[in-house]
Amino acid sequence: MEISVKVNGEQKTFAIAPADVLLDVLRREGYTGVKCGCRAGDCGACTVILNGKAVTSCLTMAAQADGAEIVTIEGLAQSNSRLHPLQRAFLDHGAAQCGFCVPGMILSAKALLDEHPNPTEPEVREAIVGNLCRCTGYKKQVEAILSVAGKKG
Ligand code: FES
Ligand code: FES
């Protein structure tokens, strides 16, 4: 079967099997910024934005995404020198160490800021509660997201 989706603004058609999850389809199609961690909805590494909401793509059936708009981390930067403000803030705040959690965390933050441009710190922490980071302790990531709040580009 096939699904038709818009990924990072580009219309795409993907061949899928009925049991495929969105995580595997996206990675197979080259969106390897979508990370595979637990495959159980626990780590958030596979987070993408689906129709405006941050979702765990390992728990999303690919067939359910037919007709959807999807944003992956590949869709954020306009070029290597023109990063999305969240990507720039993560760099500037030293909020990435190994980086494995970062694509998913930035997408959770983007979904939050798209809906609530001026979140409080508790709201930021709540938005990334499903994005586990084994490296940073979250403080710098929260600071990075708050630094972007209210001044999105
Ligand atoms: S791989 Fe999807 S939540 Fe961990
Ligand atoms: S920076 Fe390593 S898991 Fe978050």
Side-chain angles (χ1 to χ4, degrees), residues 21 23 36-46 56-60:
V21 292
L23 164 65
C36 179
C38 65
R39 287 189 175 276
D42 293 329
C43 75
C46 66
T56 47
S57 60
C58 70
L59 294 186
T60 304

Side-chain angles (χ1 to χ4, degrees), residues 79-137:
S79 69
N80 281 346
S81 59
R82 293 193 63 192
L83 297 177
H84 185 278
L86 281 165
Q87 293 171 308
R88 172 54 54 198
F90 268 58
L91 282 178
D92 291 347
H93 286 77
Q97 289 185 27
C98 81
F100 191 78
C101 69
V102 169
M105 193 168 296
I106 284 180
L107 290 167
S108 290
K110 180 178 181 339
L112 170 70
L113 296 183
D114 286 348
E115 203 165 343
H116 301 293
N118 284 295
T120 62
E121 180 174 334
E123 286 170 335
V124 168
R125 290 186 177 276
E126 175 66 24
I128 61 170
V129 75
N131 296 95
L132 301 188
C133 177
R134 62 190 171 184
C135 303
T136 66

